[in-house]
Amino acid sequence: MSGTTGKKAVLTLNDKNIELPIYSGTLGPDVIDVKDVLAQDYFTFDPGFMATSSCESKITFIDGDKGVLLHRGYPIAQLAEKADYLEVCYLLLNGELPTAAQKKEFDALVMNHTMVHDQLRKFFEGFRRDAHPMAVMCGVVGALSAFYHDGLDVADPKHREITAIRLIAKIPTIAAMSYKYTVGQPFMYPRNDLDYAENFLHMMFATPADRDYKVNPILAKAMDRIFTLHADHEQNASTSTVRMAGSTGANPYACIAAGIAALWGPAHGGANEAVLKMLDEIGTIENVAPFMEKVKTKEVKLMGFGHRVYKNFDPRAKVMKQTCDEVLEALGINDPQLALAMELEKIALSDPYFIERKLYPNVDFYSGIILKAIGIPTSMFTVIFALARTVGWISHWLEMHSAPYKIARPRQLYTGPAQRDFVAVDKR
Ligand code: SDX
């Protein structure tokens, strides 16, 4: 524990004053170490972990009230504008931005691990062609354990390091394969001569029949920025899932597969797909007002709005909106769904229902519109999120393994039946 203050909280339990240590971090609220309540035969109670710090971390800081997001101290807007995604990967993994030489070496290392074991292709054949790509991702990434499990000692820093590179490098290849499989096109091999985002779009949209396929640089830049905006986000549900799975000593491929599964939910990473479905259902601007009434009566949620932590603008949403405008203008696309989204945002930001609940657009509100402009099908939106978040998951997994840790094992408030004796069925 590197944060300490010497301050104490005093809790009165069973007519006794219990002193609980308070720790301070670099930024954000102090934390109260509550483990001593156990000695007084108490558990703490915090469903959904609204007020619980699960760990100490140096990777990402979020101030929800001010709409601040820092990766190793750097504001997300600066990283999105000035760094590329692999630079952000290096920063998240190592704590510092790479020098020019370090970046060159890191980029080459990642790009040289983009191929997957050719036998992995057979795992795809077990899925129906109309399988949701997230189902394919959960299965195939988990299956990587079968290829690397024996060669992986989670206690060995060298094994952990190469695994991080393998996952960051191979996740775009597997994501593109998940798409190609569902559309019945042949898999495209990665190309080491392309940069990370360009290579991904190449594997997604090139075909063996089109030898001259070139990725539009505007789309490659937008894709790279979308990866950066999704790279990490503190102890969100999927990252906490990865940490919890990792705390059992499970291999990282299994942990990342668990993170992918957790991200899939519409309350989390599945929201970007849900936003496009919502915009499709609303259809026209005339239908916005009646839709908003259904939101207020809680019949539906305004997908892409609200956040557990941000009670102000999600800083990623601001950059995403700016990127959305740039891409659509550069491509000369006039997407009516963008106008619809802007009308929804305008109404929500001026309506007391949303203002009272501090509901603002989050990272998922505009991302789908850009992904659609890039040509990514809606079913692949959460796959893109999982691809980009893999570096965040792995960074937290590495951080957990870099210091002593205990298996995550929460307790409960039990309200079930008290102990009772079994009665044979003919006596009940
Ligand atoms: C991500 O945690 C992370 O960091 C996640 C993420 C990341 O990068 O990892 O940022 C990615 O998951 C972004 C969030 C994407 N999800 C959505 O856009 C789905 C829609 N949003 C909601 O489901 C909701 O806002 C959550 C799940 C995101 C947050 O849920 P909370 O904190 O549990 O919010 P809450 O339910 O306590 O909301 C408070 C009030 C409630 O109303 P009251 O009971 O006070 O009357 O706001 C309402 C909620 O009903 N509310 C919404 C709403 N979100 C909350 N009402 C309508 N539409 C919404 N979207």
Side-chain angles (χ1 to χ4, degrees), residues 6-299:
K7 284 194 291 190
K8 297 232 186 260
V10 177
L11 186 60
T12 302
L13 283 178
N14 307 326
D15 298 328
K16 275 170 68 179
N17 282 345
I18 316 295
E19 287 199 341
L20 302 173
I22 290 176
Y23 306 125
S24 293
T26 316
L27 298 167
D30 289 351
V31 298
I32 302 172
D33 183 337
V34 295
K35 62 176 167 301
D36 289 348
V37 302
L38 188 57
Q40 304 301 320
D41 203 23
Y42 280 84
F43 297 147
T44 58
F45 188 66
D46 184 17
F49 307 125
M50 304 281 282
T52 293
S53 298
S54 61
C55 62
E56 175 186 347
S57 181
K58 302 179 188 311
I59 298 171
T60 290
F61 174 73
I62 302 171
D63 182 325
D65 293 331
K66 297 190 184 114
V68 169
L69 169 57
L70 308 177
H71 290 320
R72 303 285 191 176
Y74 292 96
I76 187 64
Q78 291 183 27
L79 292 173
E81 187 194 338
K82 299 172 180 169
D84 68 26
Y85 175 70
L86 284 185
E87 261 179 299
V88 174
C89 289
Y90 186 98
L91 174 68
L92 289 170
L93 289 169
N94 299 294
E96 295 298 336
L97 286 165
T99 62
Q102 287 168 332
K103 174 169 172 45
K104 190 165 182 288
E105 184 187 356
F106 182 76
D107 288 7
L109 185 61
V110 169
M111 294 315 290
N112 280 296
H113 280 85
T114 49
M115 289 228 330
V116 293
H117 191 295
D118 216 44
Q119 198 160 323
L120 196 75
R121 305 156 67 94
K122 297 206 181 306
F123 281 94
F124 288 83
E125 288 158 22
F127 293 98
R128 287 174 31 158
R129 290 285 181 175
D130 62 352
H132 193 291
M134 279 297 279
V136 179
M137 289 287 285
C138 287
V140 175
V141 171
L144 287 176
S145 307
F147 284 87
Y148 301 108
H149 181 78
D150 295 342
L152 183 77
D153 172 3
V154 295
D156 182 337
K158 283 288 172 216
H159 283 200
R160 297 201 297 263
E161 189 182 332
I162 182 58
T163 299
I165 296 297
R166 278 183 173 139
L167 276 160
I168 293 165
K170 297 179 193 306
I171 204 81
T173 309
I174 294 169
M177 291 170 83
S178 303
Y179 167 65
K180 285 297 199 187
Y181 183 75
T182 58
V183 295
Q185 287 187 2
F187 297 141
M188 293 301 290
Y189 284 109
R191 279 181 45 184
N192 297 354
D193 61 316
L194 302 179
D195 70 28
Y196 193 85
E198 200 182 1
N199 179 44
F200 172 66
L201 293 178
H202 163 78
M203 293 188 289
M204 280 285 291
F205 299 122
T207 68
D210 179 359
R211 292 181 184 286
D212 300 328
Y213 179 84
K214 289 272 183 294
V215 175
N216 181 329
I218 296 166
L219 301 187
K221 184 169 183 295
M223 190 78 262
D224 190 86
R225 186 177 290 179
I226 287 172
F227 289 159
T228 291
L229 293 173
H230 288 84
D232 188 53
H233 211 240
E234 200 220 66
Q235 306 309 323
N236 58 83
S238 54
T239 300
S240 299
T241 300
V242 171
R243 278 183 175 260
M244 184 169 261
S247 76
T248 71
N251 76 72
Y253 303 103
C255 296
I256 298 302
I260 294 172
L263 184 77
W264 196 358
H268 191 13
N272 52 17
E273 181 176 353
V275 168
L276 261 289
K277 282 189 181 137
M278 174 184 73
L279 293 174
D280 283 341
E281 282 161 19
I282 295 170
T284 63
I285 287 198
E286 291 69 39
N287 295 336
V288 167
F291 177 82
M292 290 305 234
E293 289 315 308
K294 284 167 65 178
V295 172
K296 294 179 192 176
T297 55
K298 298 188 185 288
E299 289 172 71

Side-chain angles (χ1 to χ4, degrees), residues 296 305 311 345-360:
K296 294 179 192 176
F305 257 71
K311 301 308 173 190
E345 181 184 28
K346 189 178 83 176
I347 292 176
L349 294 182
S350 59
D351 186 306
Y353 180 90
F354 297 90
I355 295 169
E356 286 156 18
R357 291 167 177 79
K358 298 184 179 179
L359 301 177
Y360 291 88

